[in-house]
Amino acid sequence: MKRPLFVTVLAWFLIAASVLSTLAMLATRHNPEMQEIIRHIPFPIGIYTYTAAYSESVLNIVAGAAMLRAKNWGRWLYVLYGTAGIVFNLAVSPDQPMLLYGVVLFACIVYFLFRSRTHFYFQTSGGIGNA
């Protein structure tokens, strides 16, 4: 089955945004303004920056690549890690109302990942590893 355009766009967006995000984090890690923002996060800078932010980028790249290859586990990786990220950010974000936009966007993406045509693509393409 041909890959749905939504899956192609989402997967490449996840890959590109994650690479750019990682480069931006590396470039601004010693920036005083960035340090001030991170200072308001209840977790120590090392735990947040190096564990949560970098692992999110790596997992999004893996999920995007898997979705391009029609691997159902890539779709689930994105959904599960995205949900965990939302819960984590709700717990630590100093500006929780701003998270509403991300939650709505995430819900829309999940809807499109599981609608019938997209679901069929993940269930019938890619062979092994689609359970």
Side-chain angles (χ1 to χ4, degrees):
M1 175 180 182
K2 185 178 178 193
R3 182 187 317 125
L5 179 61
F6 173 77
V7 173
T8 302
V9 171
L10 174 64
W12 280 112
F13 176 79
L14 288 174
I15 293 167
S18 294
V19 168
L20 292 174
S21 174
T22 300
L23 292 173
M25 286 186 291
L26 289 171
T28 62
R29 65 182 169 186
H30 298 297
N31 182 315
E33 292 173 2
M34 181 59 75
Q35 295 297 322
E36 183 61 29
I37 291 169
I38 293 174
R39 197 176 344 266
H40 294 289
I41 297 172
F43 292 99
I45 185 174
I47 292 173
Y48 177 76
T49 301
Y50 296 108
T51 303
Y54 291 128
S55 65
E56 180 179 8
S57 290
V58 169
L59 289 174
N60 278 333
I61 290 169
V62 170
M67 283 190 261
L68 288 172
R69 291 174 177 77
K71 301 298 183 188
N72 193 37
W73 61 263
R75 173 174 65 158
W76 281 104
L77 176 64
Y78 173 75
V79 170
L80 294 174
Y81 198 81
T83 302
I86 288 171
V87 170
F88 177 79
N89 284 318
L90 285 171
V92 302
S93 177
D95 194 8
Q96 290 182 348
M98 289 302 293
L99 295 175
L100 180 61
Y101 300 112
V103 171
V104 170
L105 177 62
F106 180 72
C108 291
I109 291 170
V110 170
Y111 167 77
F112 282 104
L113 278 176
F114 285 90
R115 66 181 208 176
S116 61
R117 182 167 179 231
T118 308
H119 181 72
F120 186 71
Y121 163 75
F122 283 109
Q123 297 303 315
T124 60
S125 301
I128 299 173
N130 276 340

